[in-house]
């Protein structure tokens, strides 16, 4: 009888201890999850800002004058050839007559 | 049972020799039980203590707090991207400043110090708000930049704190500002595509800075083409000293608006500039008498109704009489012209004769069919209602044939021209990227033959040495187009000095794919134009420069000069 009581008491204490530690562990995990979520939220927000900044830096209004300063220009028609003509140039090493005339007419 | 034995042993006081050893054993076990109990209790209390200690030692984790304050609702919006995925509008988190009057100790200090960082702060307003101690929440300034927020933070004012909110950012600046529209301080769309997003696509009401999880809204715009258009219009405004300019690039096969601009621009981040008339949207928000570009429609009608062929000869030597008005040509050819020449010489008399031949009913029906008699609406906002003649009699019929006495929006005119050039089927102009099946309800407006003939006339007008559009040619890109120089009506009277000069063009003309429409408001003559203000000297060369820049971006391959002539 006494042994049973003692055992039951021990069980009660042990389970209380277990319960509390579980409880605290859960809270700890919850806090960890919240922390991770906050970090993810922060990262998302940072990504949004960085995306906006990248778009702001690559806006044509800024790139255009920079490119012109470097001597770049919109492509002229004679700088572009159809893929089949490009292949012909690659084989013969010469532009077709019509294309050369186009270049000369500029 | 045992207990009874114990008590029996105690009562009998050792009277039974057999029971003593049992009692002895129990007596010997008692300290063990006690020790276990005490140990257990110690362990239990110890673990509680250890737990407390560990809680006390570990750094405090964040705690969520519920503050009783008015719920400040704002809206989280999807991003806006162009057809190639380049970002045009997005939400970013920005700190907003608020005060809790109950905690503010010295409101004069708060106000005075805040003014050093926010000079345009309304001091008396804030003082009044802060003196009401019953309030727990007062907005001071929403959507601060991180730099300003840091400076305010450094002031160390009690009762003043920040709250993260969403704020709309337009990374491309004023690019396509008219189309994008604007949002209010709660991040709710108030104009343009932003308003369309609120009305149709949907936004999410949020109480904190929660970024939208909705898919971005993909527009038909191309940032590169849009920039080229705005840049060329800027140059044109400077070069021809115009009061304003507008331009449009339209995919005539799908109805997608690839670029649309009105100058002067507005910045979507500062929407207050949109209030005055000069900054108004001109492509779909304004109606104008467009002038000779309208002959495109008149000639297309004559061809489609079978009233004429491009080779039909019209005697345009005599001016047309309509009541007390006399309609004559600016530069009379002095000989009969073919319908093709009426188009390339831009003969008012010839166009008038074609319209008279068709008659009022057919003319109206044709314009109705092309959608010129009703407002054309896109997702980007309301379209202006066209202004039509009150009666359709001889005089009106003649003036409408060359684009006077009827005011339509440039967008609806461009859409009508697109339908004429794209093989003859209707299109619906849209600012959203085309998805297969969108144009399912496309109907045939003109025959395939009429469309092909009009495409040839467009090209002829640019290739011909006498053509009004010859300055619009770009080697390799097969440009075709029509000029229009209209006198601007002011208070019901035409001002000879103020003109609206425009050029509608399409390319490549062997299979028209893109349409450009350039409008210059009140351009002045210059040395370059030989003192002229006509579209052939300003709007046409602007179109040439524009197409030279955008054709490759739009994937139109140049053809050799020899092959196109």
């Amino acid at each position: 009888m006494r042994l049973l009581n003692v055992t039951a008491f021990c069980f009660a204490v042990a389970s209380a201890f277990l319960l509390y530690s579980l409880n605290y562990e859960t809270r700890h995990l919850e806090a960890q999850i919240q922390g991770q979520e906050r970090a993810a939220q922060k990262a998302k927000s940072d990504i949004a800002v960085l995306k906006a900044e990248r778009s702001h830096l690559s806006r044509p209004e800024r790139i255009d004058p920079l490119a012109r300063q470097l001597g770049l220009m919109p492509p002229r028609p004679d700088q572009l050839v159809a893929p089949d003509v490009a292949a012909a140039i690659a084989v013969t090493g010469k532009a077709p007559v019509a294309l050369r005339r186009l270049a000369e007419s500029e | 049972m045992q207990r009874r034995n114990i008590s029996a042993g105690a009562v009998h006081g050792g009277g039974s020799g057999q029971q003593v050893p049992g009692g002895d054993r129990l007596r010997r076990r008692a300290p063990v039980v006690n020790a276990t109990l005490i140990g257990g209790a110690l362990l239990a209390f110890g673990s509680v203590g250890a737990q407390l200690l560990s809680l006390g030692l570990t750094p405090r984790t964040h705690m969520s707090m519920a503050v009783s304050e008015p719920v400040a609702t704002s809206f989280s919006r999807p991003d806006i991207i162009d057809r190639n995925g380049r970002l045009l509008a997005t939400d970013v988190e920005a700190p907003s400043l608020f005060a809790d009057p109950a905690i503010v100790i010295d409101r004069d200090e708060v106000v005075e110090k805040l003014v050093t960082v926010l000079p345009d702060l309304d001091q008396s307003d804030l003082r009044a708000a802060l003196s009401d101690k019953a309030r727990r929440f007062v907005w001071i300034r929403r959507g601060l930049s991180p730099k300003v927020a840091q400076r305010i933070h450094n002031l160390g004012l009690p009762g003043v704190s920040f709250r993260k909110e969403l704020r709309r950012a337009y990374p491309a600046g004023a690019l396509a500002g008219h189309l994008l529209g604007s949002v209010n301080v709660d991040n709710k769309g108030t104009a343009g595509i932003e308003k369309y997003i609120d009305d149709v696509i949907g936004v999410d009401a949020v109480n904190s800075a929660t970024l939208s999880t909705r898919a971005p809204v993909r527009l038909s715009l191309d940032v590169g083409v849009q920039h080229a258009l705005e840049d060329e219009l800027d140059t044109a405004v400077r070069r021809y000293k115009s009061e304003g300019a507008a331009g449009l690039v339209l995919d005539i096969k799908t109805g997608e608006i690839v670029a649309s601009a009105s100058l002067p621009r507005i910045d979507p981040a500062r929407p207050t500039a949109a209030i005055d008339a000069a900054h108004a949207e001109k492509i779909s928000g304004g109606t104008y008498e467009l002038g000779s570009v309208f002959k495109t429609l008149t000639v297309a009608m004559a061809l489609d109704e079978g009233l004429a062929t491009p080779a039909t000869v019209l005697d345009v030597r005599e001016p047309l009489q309509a009541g007390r008005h006399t309609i004559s040509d600016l530069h009379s050819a002095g000989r009969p012209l073919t319908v093709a020449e009426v188009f390339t010489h831009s003969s008012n008399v010839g166009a008038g004769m074609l319209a008279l031949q068709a008659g009022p009913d057919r003319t109206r029906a044709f314009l109705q069919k092309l959608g010129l008699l009703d407002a054309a609406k896109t997702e980007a906002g309301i379209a202006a209602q066209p202004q039509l003649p009150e009666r359709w009699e001889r005089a009106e019929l003649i003036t409408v044939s060359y684009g006077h006495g009827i005011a339509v929006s440039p967008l609806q005119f461009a859409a009508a021209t697109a339908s004429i050039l794209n093989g003859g089927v209707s299109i619906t102009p849209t600012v959203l990227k085309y998805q297969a099946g969108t144009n399912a309800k496309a109907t045939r407006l003109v025959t395939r033959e009429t469309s092909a003939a009009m495409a040839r006339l467009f090209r002829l007008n640019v290739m011909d040495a006498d053509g009004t559009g010859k300055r619009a040619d770009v080697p390799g890109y097969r440009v075709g187009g029509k000029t229009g120089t209209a006198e601007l009506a002011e208070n019901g009277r035409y001002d000879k000095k103020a003109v609206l000069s425009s050029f509608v063009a399409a390319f490549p003309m062997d299979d028209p794919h893109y349409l450009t429409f350039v409008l210059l408001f009140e351009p002045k003559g210059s040395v370059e134009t030989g003192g002229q203000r006509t579209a052939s000297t300003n709007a046409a060369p602007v179109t040439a420069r524009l197409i030279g820049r955008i054709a490759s971006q739009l994937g139109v391959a140049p053809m050799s000069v020899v092959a196109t002539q």
Side-chain angles (χ1 to χ4, degrees), chain A residues 52, chain B residues 88-92 167-171 187 194:
Chain B
L88 285 167
T90 187
D91 278 348
V92 289
R167 197 171 180 223
R168 200 66 162 163
Y170 300 93
N187 228 19
E194 295 284 22

Side-chain angles (χ1 to χ4, degrees), chain B residues 112-296:
Chain B
E112 273 159 31
K113 284 197 173 171
L114 277 179
V115 167
T116 60
V117 182
L118 305 168
D120 53 339
L121 199 68
D122 188 335
Q123 297 190 37
S124 51
D125 243 24
L126 183 59
R127 234 177 273 259
L130 289 182
S131 52
D132 184 1
K133 296 281 179 194
R135 286 176 78 179
R136 299 297 311 270
F137 190 91
V138 177
W139 279 127
I140 299 177
R141 180 65 58 86
R142 294 172 76 176
L144 295 167
S145 74
K147 229 182 236 170
V148 173
Q150 187 59 47
R151 282 174 63 199
I152 294 171
H153 183 79
N154 291 347
L155 295 175
L157 299 168
V160 172
S161 37
F162 298 96
R163 189 193 159 108
K164 290 250 174 189
E165 276 200 305
L166 290 179
R167 197 171 180 223
R168 200 66 162 163
Y170 300 93
L175 189 85
H178 280 106
L179 278 189
L180 289 175
S182 54
V183 298
N184 65 11
V185 73
D186 288 326
N187 228 19
K188 192 168 174 54
T190 51
I193 293 159
E194 295 284 22
K195 189 167 188 322
Y196 172 80
I197 289 176
D198 274 65
D199 296 345
V200 180
I201 294 172
V203 293
D204 305 293
V206 290
N207 295 323
S208 61
T210 315
L211 293 166
S212 178
T213 50
R214 288 173 186 267
V217 178
R218 194 177 279 264
L219 301 186
S220 58
L221 288 190
D222 184 314
V223 164
V225 177
Q226 177 74 26
H227 169 71
L229 175 64
E230 290 188 11
D231 195 43
E232 287 303 335
L233 290 180
D234 262 339
T235 312
V237 165
R238 277 199 307 276
R239 192 176 285 194
Y240 308 113
K241 300 178 189 67
S242 308
E243 297 300 315
L248 176 73
V249 180
L250 186 71
D251 183 329
I252 65 174
K253 297 194 173 181
T254 61
E256 290 173 293
I257 296 170
V258 184
S260 167
S262 303
L263 262 53
R265 298 183 172 78
I266 58 163
D267 186 347
R270 289 174 192 77
T272 40
I275 297 164
D276 75 279
H279 286 82
E281 209 274 338
K282 299 176 179 70
I283 290 293
S284 66
T287 59
Y288 310 97
E289 292 178 276
L290 292 171
S292 299
V293 289
F294 236 76
K295 285 172 193 154
T296 308

